[in-house]
């Protein structure tokens, strides 16, 4: 089944063309977020990226002001902001397909292989994730960097300077 134009537009804007903000944190800040919330810094900031509450943004291009009514960004941890190796991409793709295929895959192969079946969606997601952060494309290159330090550190300003 082909995606309807509306579904395709949502996929493009929700998964492919989201501006990326890379989150660079001190070890203490990352440990505190993991210990207190069980989340990475990027996961902790994700609700503020416009997915749950619409963000209205105005920016200027040359002499024209542009208003975006539903602006969204994706936060990514600096540690996970590198392109996967081919071996790793293949392993993740295989695991995602196998875990979502279900036990009836071998019995009813014709319906299990008809898109958009769950295994196909998982494969598609892993395929696009494996292409992120390559040196020759600009889609996932960060639009901004967010530096995070713990206020409990003796000199957070020095730590932020070191993160640069």
């Amino acid at each position: 089944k082909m995606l309807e134009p509306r579904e395709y537009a949502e996929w493009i804007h929700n998964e492919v063309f989201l501006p990326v903000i890379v989150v660079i944190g001190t070890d203490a800040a990352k440990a505190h977020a993991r210990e207190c919330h069980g989340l990475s810094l990027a996961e902790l900031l994700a609700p503020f990226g416009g997915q749950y509450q619409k963000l209205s943004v105005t920016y200027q291009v040359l002499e024209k002001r542009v208003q975006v009514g539903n602006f969204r960004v994706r936060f990514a941890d600096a540690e996970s902001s590198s392109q996967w190796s081919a071996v790793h991409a293949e392993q993740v793709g295989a695991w995602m397909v196998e875990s979502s295929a279900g036990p009836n895959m071998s019995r009813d192969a014709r319906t299990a292989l008809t898109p958009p079946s769950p295994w196909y969606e998982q494969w598609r997601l892993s395929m696009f994730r494996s292409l992120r952060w390559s040196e020759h494309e600009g889609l996932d290159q960060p639009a901004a960097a967010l530096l995070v330090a713990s206020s409990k550190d003796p000199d957070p300003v020095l730590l932020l300077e070191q993160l640069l």
Side-chain angles (χ1 to χ4, degrees), residues 2-14:
M2 296 289 291
L3 290 176
E4 297 296 322
R6 180 189 52 77
E7 294 172 324
Y8 183 72
E10 287 176 6
W11 173 71
I12 290 288
H13 293 290
N14 292 336

Side-chain angles (χ1 to χ4, degrees), residues 1 24 64 98 138 157:
K1 172 188 169 201
I24 306 168
K64 183 179 179 185
E98 290 169 8
V157 174

Side-chain angles (χ1 to χ4, degrees), residues 51-108:
Q51 278 76 359
Y52 304 107
Q53 183 176 357
K54 292 184 177 183
L55 300 174
S56 181
V57 176
T58 302
Y59 60 94
Q60 188 163 337
V61 178
L62 298 176
E63 297 168 357
K64 183 179 179 185
R65 295 181 67 77
V66 178
Q67 175 80 26
V68 178
N70 190 15
F71 184 74
R72 291 187 300 241
V73 296
R74 181 171 55 86
F75 291 96
D77 289 304
E79 298 80 29
S80 64
S81 301
S82 60
Q83 188 176 24
W84 293 352
S85 69
V87 171
H88 180 70
E90 188 173 331
Q91 290 172 340
V92 170
W95 178 82
M96 290 178 85
V97 168
E98 290 169 8
S99 65
S100 64
N104 64 347
M105 175 74 169
S106 59
R107 285 185 229 128
D108 191 10

